[in-house]
């Protein structure tokens, strides 16, 4: 017969064994049932994956859209910032050139202003520097814009050293128009025309530059004729209606020079954003 101490020792151990084996059996049963459910339903994982992907896209969609909007806004602001900077630089260049070159013309009595409109700034009319500065800003911004529109980027001698030499040649042409003495204005006009074309060929050589230079020379000459006709100022010894015949050459070479400055300033500037 079993002894009492056997029951006392075996009873608790047996019960503990039963209690310990029961959770293990339950866990194995749950795992088996879960495996059967997954195997029986093949579309379950794909649906879960699709749901997760949709959740991820929904979560990241607005964020990516926000980043794109911020990038587009920053691009627009950067483009406008560069545009304002280039305009100010070109305006300053036009003012300086107008003061220096117009002073030369006035001192040589080529250009005459009425006494009542002359200001103290280099013996010139007060409106000459701002008008020339505005014209320089428009021309300097127009040249790279036309190049971009035509799809013909200007790549000939794109460095500041070449631009500075172009400015020096332009100043020399203007200086020659005031100080060189020829038998008649026709010879002077032909000489300055050859120098102006040589400036374009040396520093530009683009069809857009040639076309814009001719257009600028025509419009500037027409405006000058109207100003002289209305008595704003006058030229001594006019031989081309109310002005000198060599004046269109000065306008042509000035347009090419300012256009090269504008092109150089436009290098590295972000492209204009397109509105959708």
């Amino acid at each position: 017969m079993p002894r009492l101490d056997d029951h006392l020792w075996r009873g608790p151990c047996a019960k503990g064994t039963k209690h310990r084996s029961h959770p293990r059996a339950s866990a194995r049963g749950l795992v088996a049932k879960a495996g059967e459910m997954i195997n029986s339903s093949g579309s379950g994982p794909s649906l879960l994956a699709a749901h997760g992907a949709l959740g991820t896209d929904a979560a990241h969609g607005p964020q990516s859209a926000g980043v794109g909007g911020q990038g587009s806004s920053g691009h627009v602001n950067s483009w406008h910032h560069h545009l304002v900077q280039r305009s100010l630089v070109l305006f300053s260049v036009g003012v300086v050139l107008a003061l220096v070159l117009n002073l030369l013309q006035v001192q040589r009595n080529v250009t005459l202003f009425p006494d009542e409109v002359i200001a103290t700034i280099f013996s010139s009319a007060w409106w000459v520097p701002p008008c020339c500065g505005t014209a320089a800003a428009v021309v300097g911004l127009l040249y790279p814009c036309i190049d971009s529109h035509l799809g013909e980027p200007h790549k000939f001698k794109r460095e500041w050293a070449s631009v500075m030499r172009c400015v020096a040649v332009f100043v020399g042409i203007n200086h020659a128009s005031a100080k060189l003495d020829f038998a008649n204005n026709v010879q002077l006009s032909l000489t300055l025309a050859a120098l102006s074309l040589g400036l374009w060929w040396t520093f530009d050589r683009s069809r857009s530059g040639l076309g814009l230079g001719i257009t600028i020379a025509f419009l500037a000459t027409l405006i000058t004729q109207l100003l002289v006709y209305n008595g704003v100022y006058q030229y001594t010894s006019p031989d081309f209606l109310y002005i000198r015949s060599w004046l269109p050459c000065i306008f042509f070479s000035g347009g090419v020079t300012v256009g090269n400055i504008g092109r150089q300033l436009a290098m590295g500037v972000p492209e204009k954003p397109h509105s959708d």
Side-chain angles (χ1 to χ4, degrees):
M1 292 182 66
R3 293 180 299 177
L4 182 59
D5 55 354
D6 294 337
H7 287 285
L8 293 174
W9 286 104
R10 290 178 182 176
C13 294
K15 290 180 181 180
T17 304
K18 290 181 180 180
H19 285 293
R20 286 193 299 269
S21 63
H22 180 69
R24 294 177 181 175
S26 300
R28 286 195 295 269
L30 290 175
V31 172
K33 288 182 180 180
E36 291 176 359
M37 293 176 64
I38 293 174
N39 292 331
S40 61
S41 177
S43 60
S46 60
L47 291 176
L48 291 174
H51 178 71
L54 290 175
T56 303
D57 292 339
H60 291 284
Q63 183 179 1
S64 61
V67 172
Q70 293 176 0
S72 177
S73 176
H75 184 70
V76 172
N77 293 334
S78 177
W79 184 81
H80 284 294
H81 180 68
H82 283 288
L83 181 65
V84 172
Q85 283 185 334
R86 289 156 53 200
S87 301
L88 292 176
V89 172
L90 290 167
F91 181 84
S92 302
V93 170
V95 169
V96 172
L97 289 177
L99 291 174
V100 174
L101 302 180
N102 193 64
L103 173 63
L104 182 64
Q105 300 287 342
V106 172
Q107 286 182 346
R108 296 289 296 181
N109 292 325
V110 177
T111 305
L112 301 177
F113 290 95
D115 295 334
E116 61 271 13
V117 301
I118 290 182
T120 58
I121 303 177
F122 293 120
S123 300
S124 177
W126 64 267
W127 48 266
V128 172
C131 288
C132 292
T134 303
V138 173
V139 172
L141 295 176
L142 188 61
Y143 263 74
C145 181
I146 294 297
D147 292 339
S148 177
H149 181 72
L150 295 177
E152 298 178 356
H154 186 257
K155 299 180 180 179
F156 182 71
K157 292 188 177 180
R158 297 301 299 271
E159 65 273 349
W160 279 111
S162 177
V163 173
M164 292 299 102
R165 287 193 294 269
C166 182
V167 173
V169 173
F170 168 63
V171 174
I173 292 175
N174 196 286
H175 188 269
S177 68
K179 288 199 170 184
L180 290 181
D181 294 326
F182 284 82
N184 52 55
N185 286 333
V186 176
Q187 294 181 359
L188 178 60
S189 300
L190 292 176
T191 302
L192 294 181
L195 292 175
S196 300
L197 289 176
L199 181 143
W200 167 80
W201 180 257
T202 305
F203 301 103
D204 193 323
R205 295 190 188 182
S206 65
R207 293 179 296 176
S208 59
L210 179 63
L212 281 173
I214 295 174
T215 304
I216 291 167
F218 173 77
L219 293 177
T221 302
L222 180 62
I223 294 173
T224 305
Q225 293 275 17
L226 293 175
L227 292 176
V228 175
Y229 176 77
N230 290 311
V232 177
Y233 67 101
Q234 61 180 341
Y235 285 90
T236 57
S237 304
D239 60 326
F240 180 54
L241 295 179
Y242 303 100
I243 63 174
R244 292 284 190 94
S245 57
W246 47 259
L247 194 60
C249 304
I250 301 298
F251 290 141
F252 174 83
S253 57
V256 173
T257 302
V258 175
N260 282 338
I261 297 175
R263 283 166 169 169
Q264 194 66 26
L265 290 173
M267 289 187 64
V269 175
E271 295 183 356
K272 181 179 180 180
H274 299 284
S275 57
D276 296 333

